[in-house]
Amino acid sequence: MKSSAVLIFAVAGFALIAWLSIRDNARIRAARRALFDQAKSVVDEVELTFGADDLPRLKGKYRGRKVVADLIPDTLTIRRLPQLWLSVTLLDKAPGVRGFAMIVRHAGTEFYSLINSFTDQLDPPSGFPGEILIRGDDAIAQSDLNALAKPLAAILLDPRVKEIAVTQNGLRIVRQAAEGRKGEHLLLRQAMFDDADVPAADLQHILLSLDKLSAAIKPLVKARAA
């Protein structure tokens, strides 16, 4: 009888653990799928899709131009907790402009970055952060970088900004959305983003920054077309 009671308690314990795991997993999935629920009000013609990890991708239009926003979990960070990055791309053609990308606190593990798409290392303009790597299409990109120094420096004032990219097809800002929970990362090497959130004000701020950068690029486009 005693062994039967122990077995019953063990089975009940395992069943409870399984139920709690299913419940927590469902809660995490629901929270992930809701991350753009506030921010989607900022753009028009909203389209939301979801990856296998339940993280959403937002597509829409901002002031008539296409916008794509992604959430990227990054567990390859060195000496830091896992990061959840918000990548916002404004699809805005800029023919003739030489492309470049800059990344702050470059570790070489930023798989999401466009920095490796460029070959020539560029010099940071005065006032840029010390821990920044900038690469461009070629030496001519240095001139375009210098011409855009003011709006770029304004974006870099936000310590959560990780990357800015300028290409002929569009502009991108990558910014921290959340940091992983310490306990799960240290003990289980898992990335749990309990406080993840993308407020409408955050997406609005990023899009305004991209819009100002786009406006600063227009004179370069006209000069190249002349």
Side-chain angles (χ1 to χ4, degrees), residues 102-153:
M102 59 190 68
I103 189 165
V104 184
R105 298 175 299 277
H106 180 56
T109 58
E110 293 90 353
F111 59 91
Y112 51 84
S113 173
L114 293 178
I115 197 78
N116 293 323
S117 302
F118 301 99
T119 55
D120 286 36
Q121 187 158 334
L122 307 180
D123 297 324
S126 176
F128 275 37
E131 296 181 1
I132 192 165
L133 174 66
I134 309 176
R135 290 180 183 155
D137 280 328
D138 49 36
I140 302 174
Q142 183 73 57
S143 174
D144 288 355
L145 169 64
N146 294 340
L148 300 170
K150 187 175 180 179
L152 290 169

Side-chain angles (χ1 to χ4, degrees), residues 1-14:
M1 289 293 294
K2 186 176 180 180
S3 60
S4 297
V6 170
L7 179 61
I8 291 172
F9 278 118
V11 171
F14 283 126

Side-chain angles (χ1 to χ4, degrees), residues 72-187:
I72 306 168
D74 177 11
T75 60
L76 300 178
T77 53
I78 300 173
R79 298 187 299 277
R80 291 189 65 190
L81 294 174
Q83 301 293 309
L84 184 65
W85 301 112
L86 170 61
S87 172
V88 183
T89 302
L90 180 67
L91 298 173
D92 195 13
K93 295 287 186 180
V97 171
R98 309 308 296 165
F100 59 84
M102 59 190 68
I103 189 165
V104 184
R105 298 175 299 277
H106 180 56
T109 58
E110 293 90 353
F111 59 91
Y112 51 84
S113 173
L114 293 178
I115 197 78
N116 293 323
S117 302
F118 301 99
T119 55
D120 286 36
Q121 187 158 334
L122 307 180
D123 297 324
S126 176
F128 275 37
E131 296 181 1
I132 192 165
L133 174 66
I134 309 176
R135 290 180 183 155
D137 280 328
D138 49 36
I140 302 174
Q142 183 73 57
S143 174
D144 288 355
L145 169 64
N146 294 340
L148 300 170
K150 187 175 180 179
L152 290 169
I155 296 170
L156 291 169
L157 288 175
D158 184 347
R160 291 171 293 181
V161 169
K162 180 66 173 176
E163 181 181 38
I164 308 172
V166 172
T167 75
Q168 293 188 16
N169 294 316
L171 311 172
R172 176 177 295 173
I173 291 177
V174 178
R175 180 178 181 268
Q176 183 192 54
E179 191 167 63
R181 195 194 300 166
K182 187 174 183 179
E184 278 74 4
H185 177 61
L186 294 177
L187 295 176

